[in-house]
């Protein structure tokens, strides 16, 4: 029965979605490089030409950019609430829900980077000033909608990368935890600090943090409302990479873009199926997980991309995948 349920879920998830770009606006630009390292050691990587252009326009709480050229397929989602330290407001939740839905429907998207347009901050969590003005009856529905946003972010079919160049606290860290991969600058600050306010993480933090770093460590961090820097987050397994911050304050973003560029040339359907197999398989027993993997593998066999991959290997050339 569990296997059958897994197959039904797969069939639902594998439906082809029509392309769509509603709610897409301008973001980020290019040029400059930095020295970076991963938590397992230090080493130089080739310069990456891509830096962000910041704006003080407070009306644009969220900016989304679909990159083009060789970076076509990479979508950069930038939070831009400088006066509120990128805190999660009603407006930001609505804008992000719209952006996530647009990305979900667009088969041309190959990876997503969630980052900040504001130097020194990723997301400070809930907008407590706005929250203080809410009626008690409004708080529950708002938290529920924010939780739904983060769930939808986690359910995107393509790889998602959180580029954390500053503080990611409370709901900000919960947003990052919903992403597949987290990259921090060494100066970033991360923590689920809700117990300081006599509440608990309410957007998945109590569930995703233990899955990321283990139950005991997650309990320690949540109970004590502890904040760790980017290097410590990497050591704990909370982040995949920790990079040395640069003068422009976007080192994690640059490393995230480099990683997205590594993902970009791979078979897009295969990457989606790999994510689906991992995400569904990790929640079930091994036998059911293997059945899920088999079902996902079956989806790539009839694709044109698989044949292109075999032809490119035989002809010793780079494959040109089209997501077909």
């Amino acid at each position: 029965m569990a296997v059958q349920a897994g197959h039904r879920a797969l069939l639902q998830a594998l439906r082809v979605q029509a392309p769509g770009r509603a709610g897409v606006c301008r973001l980020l630009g290019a040029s400059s490089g930095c020295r970076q390292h991963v938590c397992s050691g230090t080493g130089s990587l080739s310069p990456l030409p891509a830096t962000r252009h910041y704006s003080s326009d407070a009306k644009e709480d969220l900016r989304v950019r679909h990159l083009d050229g060789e970076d076509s397929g990479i979508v950069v989602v930038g939070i831009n609430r400088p006066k509120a330290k990128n805190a999660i407001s009603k407006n930001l939740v609505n804008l992000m829900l719209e952006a996530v839905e647009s990305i979900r429907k667009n088969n041309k998207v190959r990876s997503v980077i969630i980052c900040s347009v504001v130097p020194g901050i990723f997301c400070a969590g809930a907008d407590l000033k706005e929250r203080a003005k809410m009626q008690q009856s409004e708080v529950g529905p708002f938290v529920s909608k924010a939780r739904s946003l983060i769930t939808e972010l986690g359910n995107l079919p393509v790889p998602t990368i959180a580029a954390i160049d500053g503080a990611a606290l409370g709901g900000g860290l919960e947003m990052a935890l919903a992403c597949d991969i987290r990259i921090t600058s060494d100066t970033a600050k991360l923590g689920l600090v809700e117990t300081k306010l006599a509440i608990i993480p309410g957007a998945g933090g109590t569930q995703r943090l233990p899955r990321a770093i283990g139950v005991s460590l997650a309990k320690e961090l949540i109970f004590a409302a502890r904040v760790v820097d980017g290097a410590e987050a990497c050591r704990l397994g909370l982040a995949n990479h920790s990079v040395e911050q640069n003068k422009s304050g976007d080192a994690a973003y640059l490393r995230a873009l480099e990683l997205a560029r590594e993902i970009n040339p791979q078979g897009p359907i295969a990457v989606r199926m790999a994510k689906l197999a991992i995400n569904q398989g990790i929640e079930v027993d091994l036998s059911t997980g293997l059945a899920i993997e088999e079902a996902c593998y079956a989806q790539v066999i009839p694709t044109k991309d698989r044949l292109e991959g075999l032809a490119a290997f035989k002809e010793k050339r780079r494959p040109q995948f089209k997501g077909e």
Side-chain angles (χ1 to χ4, degrees):
M1 291 296 294
V3 173
Q4 291 176 349
H7 279 277
R8 285 197 297 270
L10 281 168
L11 289 175
Q12 183 69 21
L14 294 170
R15 287 182 180 175
V16 176
Q17 303 290 340
R21 292 198 178 190
V24 174
C25 52
R26 296 176 296 111
L27 179 64
L28 323 178
S31 80
S32 120
C34 67
R35 188 166 62 87
Q36 307 169 37
H37 67 276
V38 298
C39 58
S40 56
T42 302
S44 296
L45 298 175
S46 55
L48 182 62
T51 193
R52 295 169 291 178
H53 300 294
Y54 302 111
S55 167
S56 59
D57 187 351
K59 295 179 181 179
E60 297 179 347
D61 284 359
L62 189 73
R63 302 184 187 180
V64 182
R65 183 184 174 197
H66 290 247
L67 304 189
D68 52 22
E70 291 188 0
D71 291 331
S72 180
I74 300 173
V75 179
V76 183
V77 178
I79 306 172
N80 181 45
R81 301 193 70 219
K83 293 182 180 179
K85 297 184 178 179
N86 285 351
I88 300 170
S89 64
K90 290 181 179 179
N91 185 52
L92 182 60
V93 168
N94 290 334
L95 290 174
M96 290 198 72
L97 279 168
E98 180 184 354
V100 167
E101 179 64 11
S102 176
I103 290 166
R104 186 183 66 81
K105 290 180 177 179
N106 190 344
N107 281 338
K108 295 182 180 180
V109 176
R110 299 197 179 188
S111 62
V112 178
I113 298 172
I114 307 293
C115 65
S116 169
V117 184
V118 181
I121 190 78
F122 177 76
C123 175
D127 189 333
L128 297 181
K129 290 183 179 180
E130 181 182 77
R131 179 79 60 88
K133 296 176 183 178
M134 291 183 187
Q135 298 294 325
Q136 188 169 340
S137 60
E138 295 179 279
V139 175
F142 171 73
V143 172
S144 179
K145 193 169 186 179
R147 184 186 298 116
S148 177
L149 162 63
I150 290 174
T151 298
E152 290 301 312
L153 175 61
N155 287 338
L156 280 175
V158 296
T160 52
I161 307 168
I164 305 170
D165 274 305
L169 304 173
L173 180 53
E174 288 178 302
M175 189 186 302
L177 282 166
C179 294
D180 299 307
I181 297 165
R182 286 164 294 283
I183 297 175
T184 70
S185 67
D186 55 358
T187 57
K189 302 296 181 184
L190 297 84
L192 295 177
V193 296
E194 284 85 352
T195 56
K196 285 186 176 182
L197 298 173
I199 58 175
I200 70 170
T206 63
Q207 302 305 305
R208 292 190 177 93
L209 186 62
R211 284 165 167 78
I213 67 174
V215 172
S216 184
L217 275 173
K219 286 179 176 179
E220 180 178 341
L221 295 186
I222 291 173
F223 294 169
R226 184 173 301 156
V227 175
V228 299
D229 63 24
E232 177 70 1
C234 190
R235 188 187 70 80
L236 294 174
L238 179 51
N240 295 60
H241 305 279
S242 176
V243 296
E244 184 179 354
Q245 189 56 282
N246 58 23
K247 291 182 180 180
S248 55
D250 59 357
Y253 167 73
L254 294 176
R255 181 67 181 90
L257 183 56
E258 184 179 75
L259 179 55
R261 286 170 171 167
E262 288 184 58
I263 295 169
N264 222 27
Q266 316 313 322
I269 298 175
V271 171
R272 287 177 178 232
M273 289 302 99
K275 175 171 177 173
L276 185 59
I278 294 168
N279 283 1
Q280 291 203 0
I282 201 67
E283 301 295 340
V284 299
D285 62 273
L286 179 59
S287 178
T288 306
L290 291 172
I292 290 170
E293 179 185 79
E294 182 180 5
C296 287
Y297 195 101
Q299 298 299 317
V300 302
I301 291 175
T303 63
K304 294 179 181 179
D305 280 352
R306 185 183 73 87
L307 299 178
E308 165 63 11
L310 291 173
F313 178 79
K314 182 179 179 180
E315 297 165 14
K316 298 181 179 180
R317 60 173 174 81
R318 180 177 175 176
Q320 300 296 317
F321 296 125
K322 297 181 179 179
E324 300 175 355

